């Protein structure tokens, strides 16, 4: 029987299973449902009510996922949260390790290195360990909050709320979310570990750091919060895998908090090295536009960040609206 409800149900069960077993499980489920419908209805064409009864007897998609994956009751965060928790934890941890390695490589390029190579290796291993612990703590705390507050992770808890099988254009690329998380990790670690990598070189070969390292590290909490807000938005995209209203709300709230954090950071602190500005202004005596740009560099950076955040929020809102229109038209 070709049923949209059955397709949604099977998709909700198999969407986070390993790729190699996903197709086999889908075939098995479709066969099982067909047999149950035939046993219930005989030669009579099954109605939607019959389909709902059969699917209810099978159990929720989360329960079936636990049966096929064998991952139930392995974690203090119980089903149906556990499956999604592991899925997001794996990806966020890998992204944190990749971002940490990139940030460490940049710090070495910037000259932040020990006298002996083995000290560099120990430093890198220590950074990886810290990144893995931070990723574990962040994702675990997030899902523990969801679990104890009983915040639903998706619409797969009942037949009436099963998420539709998304079209390809409505799906959120896993690579896009992974890239966003890696960028957030690199942003935080580079600013906190090696802000001197951002520098300006004059015609005389003099090198001036763009930011005051002490000022940057003194506002570490704002930098970390900015990065976590971005990671939270990408984590929800990973959980849903398509443009939903929850993704839209999360991204808008995340971008709003990031904008507030950026405003506090760039408008409330002297972060840019004044000596660098003075040195560069010495070469731009006749160019008033360049002088204005240099003297207002923090304001320009703040404006650029706000523009990027607004574009991100509007893009997700538009894509979510189009996805809902297509789903309502089915």
């Amino acid at each position: 029987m070709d049923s949209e409800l059955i397709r949604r149900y099977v998709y909700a069960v198999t969407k986070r299973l390993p790729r190699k077993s996903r197709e086999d499980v889908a075939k098995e489920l479709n066969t099982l449902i067909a047999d149950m419908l035939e046993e219930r209805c005989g030669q009579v064409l099954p109605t939607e009510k019959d389909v709902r009864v059969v699917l209810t007897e099978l159990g929720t998609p989360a329960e079936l996922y636990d049966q096929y994956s064998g991952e139930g009751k392995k974690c203090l965060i119980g089903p149906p949260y556990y499956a999604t928790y592991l899925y997001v934890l794996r990806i966020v941890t890998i992204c944190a390790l990749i971002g940490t390695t990139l940030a460490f490589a940049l710090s070495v390029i910037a000259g932040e290195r020990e006298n002996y190579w083995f000290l560099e290796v120990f430093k890198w291993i220590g950074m990886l360990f810290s990144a893995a612990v931070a990723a574990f703590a962040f994702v675990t705390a997030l899902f523990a909050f969801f679990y104890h507050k009983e915040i639903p992770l998706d619409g797969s808890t009942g037949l009436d709320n099963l998420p539709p099988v998304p079209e390809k254009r409505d799906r959120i690329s896993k690579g896009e979310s992974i890239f966003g998380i890696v960028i957030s990790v690199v942003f935080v670690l580079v600013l906190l570990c090696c802000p001197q990598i951002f520098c300006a070189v004059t015609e005389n070969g003099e090198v001036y750091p763009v930011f005051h390292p002490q000022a940057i590290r003194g506002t570490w909490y704002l930098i970390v919060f900015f990065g976590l807000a971005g990671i939270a938005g990408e984590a929800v995209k990973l959980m849903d895998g398509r443009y939903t209203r929850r993704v839209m709300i999360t991204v808008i709230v995340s971008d709003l908090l990031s904008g507030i954090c950026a405003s506090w950071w760039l408008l409330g602190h002297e972060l840019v090295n004044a000596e660098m500005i003075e040195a560069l202004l010495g070469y731009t005596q006749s160019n008033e536009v360049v002088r204005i740009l240099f003297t207002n560099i923090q304001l320009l950076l703040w404006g650029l960040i706000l523009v990027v955040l607004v574009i991100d929020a509007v893009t997700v809102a538009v894509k979510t609206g189009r996805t809902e229109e297509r789903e309502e038209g089915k």
Side-chain angles (χ1 to χ4, degrees), residues 15-272:
K15 64 180 180 179
R16 280 189 287 272
L17 287 173
R19 187 181 297 275
K20 58 183 180 182
S21 62
R22 196 177 302 160
E23 185 174 348
D24 293 337
V25 171
K27 289 180 179 179
E28 182 180 339
L29 274 176
N30 281 310
T31 301
L32 177 61
I33 293 170
D35 292 342
M36 293 177 68
L37 287 172
E38 183 179 357
E39 181 180 352
R40 175 180 173 82
C41 303
Q43 300 300 320
V44 179
L45 185 66
T47 64
E48 184 176 351
K49 180 180 178 181
D50 295 319
V51 173
R52 288 178 176 274
V53 171
V54 167
L55 296 183
T56 301
E57 291 176 355
L58 281 175
T60 67
E63 291 170 346
L64 281 180
Y65 172 86
D66 287 335
Q67 293 179 22
Y68 282 107
S69 66
E71 294 180 339
K73 298 183 180 179
K74 289 185 179 179
C75 183
L76 292 176
I77 300 175
Y81 299 82
Y82 177 71
T84 307
Y85 163 74
L86 278 186
Y87 173 74
V88 174
L89 178 62
R90 281 193 292 264
I91 293 179
V92 172
T93 301
I94 292 173
C95 291
L97 297 180
I98 294 174
T100 300
T101 300
L102 291 175
F104 175 76
L106 290 174
S107 69
V108 172
I109 295 173
E112 286 286 316
R113 54 180 179 271
E114 304 289 346
N115 294 328
Y116 302 100
W117 65 268
F118 58 86
L119 294 178
E120 287 296 314
V121 173
F122 288 145
K123 181 180 178 182
W124 175 55
I125 294 174
M127 291 177 64
L128 290 179
F129 178 77
S130 299
V133 170
F136 173 80
F138 174 70
V139 176
T140 302
L142 183 64
F143 276 84
F145 175 78
F146 289 158
Y147 181 64
H148 290 289
K149 296 297 182 180
E150 297 183 354
I151 299 174
L153 296 183
D154 53 35
S156 60
T157 56
L159 295 181
D160 292 327
N161 296 317
L162 284 174
V165 180
E167 298 182 14
K168 185 175 182 180
R169 56 185 170 178
D170 296 331
R171 296 180 183 180
I172 300 177
S173 169
K174 186 187 296 185
E176 175 186 332
S177 298
I178 290 174
F179 179 77
I181 294 174
V182 170
I183 291 298
S184 296
V185 173
V186 172
F187 167 79
V188 172
L189 292 179
V190 167
L191 278 180
L192 294 181
C193 298
C194 53
Q196 71 280 0
I197 197 171
F198 301 103
C199 58
V201 182
T202 65
E203 293 181 359
N204 296 332
E206 297 175 322
V207 179
Y208 292 91
V210 174
F211 301 107
H212 286 295
Q214 296 82 1
I216 292 293
R217 288 164 182 159
T219 56
W220 64 270
Y221 51 93
L222 294 174
I223 298 171
V224 171
F225 183 85
F226 187 91
L228 290 179
I231 293 174
E234 298 300 334
V236 173
K237 289 182 181 179
L238 283 173
M239 284 190 284
D240 283 17
R242 64 191 183 93
Y243 289 101
T244 63
R245 186 160 298 185
R246 184 175 65 172
V247 168
M248 180 185 70
I249 293 173
T250 303
V251 169
I252 290 175
V253 172
S254 172
D255 288 340
L256 178 62
L257 293 176
S258 296
I260 294 173
C261 185
S263 301
W264 186 5
W265 186 51
L266 289 168
L267 302 182
H269 301 84
E270 293 294 333
L271 304 174
V272 176

Side-chain angles (χ1 to χ4, degrees), residues 280-292:
L280 294 178
L281 288 178
Y283 298 95
T284 58
Q285 296 289 346
S286 59
N287 195 327
E288 188 63 24
V289 174
V290 176
R291 289 177 60 84
I292 294 174

